[in-house]
Structure formats: C-alpha cells, structure tokens
Amino acid sequence: MKGPFAFFIHPLNFEDLYRVVPQIKGKSEEFIQSVIKFIEPFVAVEMEIETATKEKVFGMFIVIPLFSNQFLEDEKLAMNKLIKGSKLAIRFGAKIVGLGAFTSIVGKAGMNLVKNFDGILSFTSGASYTVASSLEVLDMAIFERNLNKKKLNVSIVGATGAIGKAITKLIYKDFNKIFAVARNKSRLMALKNEIKSDNLVISTDIKESCLKSDIVITATSNPTHIIFPDYLKPNSIVCDISMPHNTSIEVFEKRKDVLVIEGGIIELPSEPVFKKLFNDLSWNDIIGFPENNVLACMAETIILTAEERYENYSIGRNIDENKIRDISILAKKHGFKVKKREINFTPR
C-alpha cells in the first residue's frame, strides 16, 4: 500500500457547507463565518484506490474549516489552520499533502508550509496537472469545433498567478494573440518582460480583453463571478479553472452560443473504496463530484503517492514546465483520464 497522502479541502461557499451540514440552514452567514473560525481541521474522508499499474494508494481528505474569502481576508488565521491541518496529517502518517482550492494560495503559495515542515512533510498545490489537464480539455474543444489555433485570440484572466502564468508561457506561441489579464500592473509588466513576444498583450480590463477573444481561460483566486454574458464574443469558448468558478450562471442562461467547460476534471482509474465518511455522507456530498471524478490537484497528489515521489512538487508561483510534462506522463501511466465537462451551475 502506497501512502498515505493527505489532501486539504474547504467549503468554497455556503452552499458547500449546507450540503454537508443541512441543519445550519437559516443561520446568518455572518454567524456561520464567525463560528467556523474556531473549528479545528478534521478528517472527512479516507479512501483507497488502485491505479492502472496495480498500485494501491491510500489517503485522507482533511477539512480546513474556512470559506474562500476568509483565506484572503485573514492570512494569519488561514496559516494557523493549515499548520494544524499539516500536524494532523503527520499524526495519521501522511508523507505528502495536496493543497486544494484556496489552501494553495496563502503563505507565499505554499512556500511557508514547506519552510515550516522541511524534511518532515512534502506539499503540492496540484498546479502542474491542473495546467496540463486544462490545456488538454481545451484542445478537445478546439478540435471538436474544427478551429485553427493560429487564427484565435485568447484571454488568460489571472495571468500572473501560478496557473495562469504557466499557461501563458506554454501557449503564447500557438495562438494569434494572447491577452494576459490581471489586476497588478507591475506583475503584468514582469510577465511581458519575461516572455518578450509581440503577440502578448497585457491588460487590467477583463471585459475589453474577453470581447476580443475567441477563448477565455480563467485561473484567478477571486472567489466571486467576474465573467458575465456581455463580456463574451459570439461562439466563444470559456475554460474555467478557478474554484469557485469565475463564470456567472447568467452566461449559461443567456449565452447559449458560448461553450463553458471546466478545466482540470479527472476520471480516476478505478472506483475508490471509502474507509470513512464524515456523517456518513457520500463522496459527492463532500467533494461535489461523482465517485470516480476528482480535481486535477487531487489527482496529482494521488499520482505522486503512487510513484512514492514525496517531494515539494507544484509549490510557489513559478510552476516548472518539466513538471507539467512529467505529471501528465505519469497520469497516463497510472490510468488517470482528462474529462471534458461543461460546468454544472447548480450548487455542488
């Protein structure tokens, strides 16, 4: 048995929490946010899975009780919870921890956790496989529509973050024009100076850039909707990698010409076996996906465990292109498959 691994999860929004703890419906959001600060990290799920190479991998999913906005608003509180979660993982024998959703962006994008647990525990944000799988699913959509990349403009919203930056550097040569969109002008200029390409345009205006683009990729740490129906060019493609998603439900309702797909959804090589479930809930209740589907960040943690590569893999704001390629190869070796799926706008 390989592992165990640990993976950090947290409620993205109130709907996530209501699904798991329905009895708190009716309580004010302010009250819930004030209470959740005092809840300690805990193990919600233990699971075992067999890969295509017959490796059996065991791990656990640890809840870090904070909402998305709380990771952004109180980094000291968030780091304290992540440290406690890491100590819990060590207590259960974990050798590597995957940082899911907003747990991956605080503390210098995981670097502070690496510093705190150097030589004791390894970490990965899963960004390498998120990038690789998102680009693979985008290629599926482009192929299905019989489009020529060289004639397409692409907006990458969140281009200065770890995932957005890696995608920008990987694809800027393949398309007609790339609009790198972010809020911080100095980081955008640094990206422009690093890439030095005439077809790369930097912008802080999401709407203006998206309206000029055939493809929009969102990879931000913004917990709110930032892509709306009037932002999108006719018949465009949106690949939304952000969790929670950046694309408004109004796009789904009003723009039937636009294809909105999720980035980084992975089909597991076998049905997982669950050892423990919080309050006897289903995997779908807790994680928000069918039992054989996970996010790429989760899959990366499982794959590294199957390979016994207990190392700090996708950490920090600069993702190694070699690691993006390598994790994609390892994923195929172990039978993990990229899924093309339109976004389900119903609450998870």
Side-chain angles (χ1 to χ4, degrees):
M1 183 77 68
K2 300 292 181 67
F5 68 84
F7 190 84
F8 288 166
I9 59 176
H10 68 87
L12 296 173
N13 47 44
F14 289 97
E15 284 72 25
D16 268 355
L17 195 61
Y18 296 153
R19 188 181 63 246
V20 176
V21 193
Q23 57 267 35
I24 66 170
K25 282 187 178 181
K27 304 290 186 183
S28 74
E29 293 183 356
E30 293 79 9
F31 173 76
I32 294 170
Q33 291 216 45
S34 66
V35 169
I36 201 172
K37 291 180 181 181
F38 298 100
I39 300 175
E40 297 290 297
F42 61 92
V43 176
V45 187
E46 293 178 5
M47 64 170 275
E48 180 185 315
I49 186 170
E50 184 173 281
T51 75
T53 58
K54 304 301 180 183
E55 301 288 351
K56 289 187 177 180
V57 181
F58 176 71
M60 68 207 72
F61 290 76
I62 296 176
V63 175
I64 305 298
L66 286 177
F67 291 106
S68 302
N69 64 297
Q70 291 176 303
F71 283 92
L72 300 174
E73 294 165 2
D74 193 338
E75 184 157 341
K76 184 177 179 180
L77 172 66
M79 274 304 301
N80 182 51
K81 293 245 187 183
L82 293 178
I83 288 170
K84 287 181 177 180
S86 299
K87 289 179 178 178
L88 179 62
I90 292 169
R91 202 178 313 146
F92 278 90
K95 301 172 183 178
I96 188 169
V97 173
L99 305 175
F102 281 66
T103 70
S104 68
I105 66 173
V106 297
K108 298 180 180 178
M111 295 300 292
N112 287 350
L113 283 173
V114 169
K115 184 178 179 181
N116 271 278
F117 295 94
D118 185 35
I120 304 170
L121 197 60
S122 297
F123 297 88
T124 185
S125 69
S128 296
Y129 195 32
T130 299
V131 170
S133 58
S134 296
L135 292 180
E136 187 175 337
V137 77
L138 181 60
D139 279 345
M140 292 178 189
I142 292 170
F143 177 79
E144 287 173 4
R145 290 195 170 195
N146 196 28
L147 302 174
N148 183 348
K149 285 186 177 182
K150 291 296 183 182
K151 295 181 179 180
L152 302 177
N153 295 339
V154 181
S155 278
I156 302 172
V157 184
T160 58
I163 291 172
K165 184 177 181 181
I167 288 175
T168 304
K169 291 167 73 173
L170 283 170
I171 72 170
Y172 76 91
K173 294 179 181 178
D174 299 332
F175 292 88
N176 178 57
K177 187 174 288 186
I178 301 290
F179 295 97
V181 187
R183 291 177 294 185
N184 190 301
K185 288 184 179 180
S186 61
R187 287 185 182 178
L188 282 169
M189 282 303 303
L191 180 62
K192 177 71 173 175
N193 292 334
E194 183 178 354
I195 292 179
K196 292 185 174 67
S197 174
D198 291 338
N199 76 329
L200 179 67
V201 179
I202 60 174
S203 173
T204 58
D205 192 321
I206 298 174
K207 183 176 182 178
E208 181 183 56
S209 300
C210 290
L211 281 171
K212 297 175 182 177
S213 299
D214 306 285
I215 295 170
V216 175
I217 301 170
T218 72
T220 81
S221 57
N222 192 324
T224 62
H225 293 151
I226 57 173
I227 304 296
F228 300 98
D230 59 335
Y231 283 32
L232 299 168
K233 186 177 176 180
N235 301 306
S236 55
I237 299 170
V238 178
C239 181
D240 197 328
I241 304 171
S242 303
M243 292 297 288
H245 292 308
N246 290 153
T247 309
S248 167
I249 189 172
E250 294 174 337
V251 174
F252 175 77
E253 293 170 341
K254 299 178 180 179
R255 293 297 303 272
K256 301 300 183 183
D257 60 308
V258 172
L259 174 64
V260 185
I261 55 177
E262 288 187 286
I265 306 299
I266 307 300
E267 183 177 306
L268 294 169
S270 64
E271 290 287 338
V273 177
F274 299 109
K275 305 290 184 181
K276 174 183 177 182
L277 287 165
F278 176 67
N279 283 353
D280 293 323
L281 295 168
S282 70
W283 168 264
N284 185 55
D285 286 329
I286 295 171
I287 304 298
F289 291 100
E291 289 188 1
N292 63 334
N293 287 182
V294 296
L295 291 168
C297 51
M298 298 179 187
E300 179 170 304
T301 309
I302 298 169
I303 293 163
L304 291 173
T305 304
E307 288 286 310
E308 295 187 298
R309 290 184 61 171
Y310 303 124
E311 60 188 84
N312 298 310
Y313 199 82
S314 305
I315 288 294
R317 295 192 176 94
N318 292 300
I319 305 301
D320 188 333
E321 291 182 27
N322 292 321
K323 288 183 175 179
I324 295 171
R325 183 193 67 246
D326 290 348
I327 198 68
S328 186
I329 293 169
L330 291 174
K332 289 177 174 60
K333 169 186 170 181
H334 287 284
F336 291 75
K337 297 177 182 178
V338 175
K339 289 209 69 173
K340 177 176 170 289
R341 188 172 88 159
E342 294 187 40
I343 286 182
N344 177 7
F345 282 97
T346 58
R348 292 192 195 283

